[in-house]
Amino acid sequence: MSSLDGKVAIVTGAGRGLGRAEALNLAKEGARVVINDLGGNAEAEATAVSVVDEIKGFGGEAFAFFGDCADWNDSEALFKKTLDTWGDVNIMVNNAGFCRDRLIFNMTEDEFDSVVRVHLKGHFVNMRHATKYWREKCKADGAPVYGRLVSTSSEAFLFGSVGQPNYASAKAGIVAMTMGAAQVMYNYGVTANVICPRARTDMTNQAATAHMFVKPETGFDTFAPENVSPLVTYLASPDAGNVSGQVFVVWGKQVTVIDSPKEAARFESPEVWTPESMHSSLGEYFANKVPVRDGFSVIPTE
């Protein structure tokens, strides 16, 4: 039997790119998959339906659900439809998102709000409905459930990409929220982990770094979304039952586990701190350090 036989998975933004690759990989391992996408136009809906058809073509089960991943009511309806159809939800993969890149002194309020909404709130509403369902099921059954949360962040949360103050902030929030969910849900049988993928998607194709993700004419395609999906499937599997509260950077043939932040230095004062004593203690430490500049940047043209 496949490792995910009988399990039910929801993948947001699954009509194309990373979400599509993740949905296909989950389905190939036996999961029944809900292809969630925004819809709203014929082309987008046809793309999502094509993923459903592809899954059914190799003997899997899937259906498409169109709705806004960051809308409370749409998310609630998504879970209701899934439960009405298959009677359970086991895996929640939050993937959907978009970018509105601009330097902070040029960014509009809407460019900030819209990106934070789809990424951070989009993760929250689906995680909230999933965790509520799993908690109530655990209490009703008197036993741990099978629950897997997979969140999608970015290395931008580590480096604060200068052209993406909205995106980087949302991705940092996703990590923090997922770490909290991992702690509170583990005793219910639920794991929660974060992936930071490097892959060629609609988002990277529109960014200033698009040239980095060009598909090679020959040889291994380092940034193919299909290189990311096996990690998602693994984290969704029974084999990863003891993996929770982790952050992974994944791309090409490489997976890196990101450790928690560690202390770099500690300073203590025999007296109450003053600005002068702060400078006396910290000034020497920072004297030869260069401020972080453009550590991982996507710099738009305006």
Side-chain angles (χ1 to χ4, degrees), residues 163-186:
Q164 298 177 309
N166 47 6
Y167 178 78
S169 300
K171 291 305 190 183
I174 286 167
V175 174
M177 183 164 55
T178 307
M179 297 302 97
Q183 295 175 68
V184 76
M185 293 305 297
Y186 190 72

Side-chain angles (χ1 to χ4, degrees), residues 74-139:
D74 282 1
S75 174
E76 211 166 36
L78 167 62
F79 276 81
K80 184 178 186 305
K81 174 66 174 176
T82 305
L83 291 169
D84 288 346
T85 303
W86 287 322
D88 205 355
V89 176
N90 307 108
I91 301 156
M92 179 71 239
V93 181
N94 279 301
N95 164 76
F98 63 82
C99 286
R100 296 288 184 271
D101 293 350
R102 206 176 296 274
L103 296 169
I104 193 164
F105 40 74
N106 288 326
M107 182 162 286
T108 66
E109 182 178 18
D110 180 67
E111 287 167 342
F112 184 86
D113 287 349
S114 60
V115 169
V116 171
R117 178 185 179 276
V118 74
H119 287 276
L120 186 56
K121 188 181 178 186
H123 272 66
F124 165 70
V125 294
N126 290 298
M127 289 172 68
R128 191 272 184 188
H129 291 129
T131 54
K132 180 176 184 289
Y133 167 70
W134 287 327
R135 180 173 180 265
E136 290 178 351
K137 188 174 190 298
C138 178
K139 287 187 171 185

Side-chain angles (χ1 to χ4, degrees), residues 261-282:
K262 293 180 171 60
E263 279 190 8
R266 180 181 296 183
F267 304 90
E268 295 185 11
S269 173
E271 307 293 341
V272 176
W273 285 108
T274 66
E276 291 75 18
S277 63
M278 283 285 183
H279 175 64
S280 177
S281 293
L282 275 67

